[in-house]
Amino acid sequence: MRRLFPVTDLTAADDTAGDREWSLDELADAYAYPKDAENAEVGAGSSDAGSRDAEGGAGVHGPGAWLRANMVSSLDGAAQHEGRSQPISGDTDMRIFGTLRALADVVVVGAETVRLEGYRPARAREAFAKRREAAGQGPAPAIAVVSASLSLDFALPLFTEPLVPTLILTGAAAPPDRVRAAEAAGAVVIVAGDGPGVEPERAVRALAGRGLRRQLTEGGPRLLGQLVAAGVLDELCLTVSPTMTAGGAQRIAGGPSVAVPERFALASLLEESGFLFTRYRRI
């Protein structure tokens, strides 16, 4: 792997500038959250499983929250092939995927992506155990599923075998019987909207109010589009895959277009085997 940006006078002497496999510690350092988000007092393992209060925190992002997205795209703009992202991914992309999860307090994902990708609970990884402990985090991030209908299979391992309870973000008008079924399965239901769906700003505040300030979303495209439209996305980690798929696959963000395109600034650029690993931050 090579670091292509940022380039400084010290880049030539920097070990991470060379073309070699980076260690997990080096990847974790490269993708570290901003200090404000890292100063969280409560980690993912300390969520109150009985609470459905979505009004914790202050401001759009609550106390020091940071929401980043991690997505992959082919050269012709496809976010998936035949419904899944794995065919356009690669080994290093998956190492970065795992690193981003290991740094997060919570992974936010849409219900359709849970179904299509066969989501399982995040696992504890020994390589990141000391880093998470030093940051006041639990052994693994919580998974937070965004769903208006709660049409989810609560017999799946995501709900029956998590290290920390799986969260469900939904609206106040969610079907009461599905809310009861989710809670009976051990999930924590968080109301983050007045209607049937989730309001992105309230979802970010709700998670931050539970101490889950280092937030990561893995999509899918519909959810990412909603986050972009609401103006709550702080950072995009986008892997550009050296593949072409043609067809009518979704882009990384879907839904209605925003009135004015939002600008992001390039924060870093890595390369390996033709894959570009970009990181953009909101200006």
Side-chain angles (χ1 to χ4, degrees):
M1 177 178 284
R2 299 180 296 154
R3 185 195 301 276
L4 303 182
F5 183 86
V7 177
T8 70
D9 292 340
L10 300 178
T11 299
D14 183 357
D15 280 346
T16 61
D19 191 2
R20 61 176 180 78
E21 182 175 287
W22 286 20
S23 70
L24 292 176
D25 276 339
E26 287 172 324
L27 287 175
D29 288 341
Y31 284 93
Y33 278 84
K35 292 299 181 184
D36 284 351
E38 291 183 344
N39 289 334
E41 296 177 359
V42 183
S46 57
S47 298
D48 176 2
S51 172
R52 282 198 246 165
D53 179 16
E55 294 303 328
V60 173
H61 281 84
W66 187 267
L67 175 62
R68 67 168 34 147
N70 181 35
M71 303 292 285
V72 60
S73 172
S74 68
L75 294 175
D76 52 346
Q80 52 196 223
H81 181 62
E82 297 183 345
R84 301 181 66 240
S85 59
Q86 188 276 332
I88 60 173
S89 182
D91 291 344
T92 301
D93 183 47
M94 293 309 300
R95 292 184 80 224
I96 292 175
F97 173 92
T99 299
L100 292 176
R101 278 196 165 199
L103 295 173
D105 294 326
V106 61
V107 178
V108 184
V109 63
E112 186 64 15
T113 298
V114 167
R115 289 187 282 263
L116 289 173
E117 300 278 359
Y119 261 60
R120 299 181 64 85
R123 59 190 177 90
R125 298 185 59 186
E126 183 62 30
F128 297 100
K130 290 183 179 178
R131 185 181 290 263
R132 289 187 65 85
E133 183 179 3
Q137 296 174 294
I143 303 292
V145 183
V146 178
S147 177
S149 66
L150 279 75
S151 296
L152 300 160
D153 183 354
F154 297 120
L156 293 175
L158 179 61
F159 301 100
T160 61
E161 301 175 7
L163 286 175
V164 293
T166 294
L167 312 176
I168 299 178
L169 293 161
T170 192
D177 61 324
R178 298 305 297 165
V179 172
R180 289 192 294 270
E183 293 178 331
V188 179
V189 178
I190 302 173
V191 174
D194 293 329
V198 168
E199 299 167 19
E201 290 185 12
R202 286 183 63 178
V204 171
R205 287 202 310 268
L207 295 172
R210 299 171 69 85
L212 307 176
R213 297 174 175 86
R214 288 161 284 213
Q215 301 174 10
L216 169 67
T217 181
E218 296 170 351
R222 180 174 157 186
L223 174 60
L224 182 57
Q226 293 170 344
L227 299 174
V228 171
V232 299
L233 186 69
D234 295 299
E235 179 179 330
L236 172 64
C237 299
L238 174 64
T239 295
V240 180
S241 167
T243 58
M244 304 223 6
T245 70
Q250 289 180 296
R251 294 161 34 186
I252 65 167
S257 63
V258 297
V260 178
E262 188 168 6
R263 285 292 303 274
F264 283 68
L266 181 64
S268 71
L269 175 61
L270 309 174
E271 184 276 336
E272 182 171 290
S273 300
F275 283 82
L276 297 177
F277 306 99
T278 74
R279 190 160 57 92
Y280 288 89
R281 291 187 171 184
R282 185 169 59 175
I283 298 173

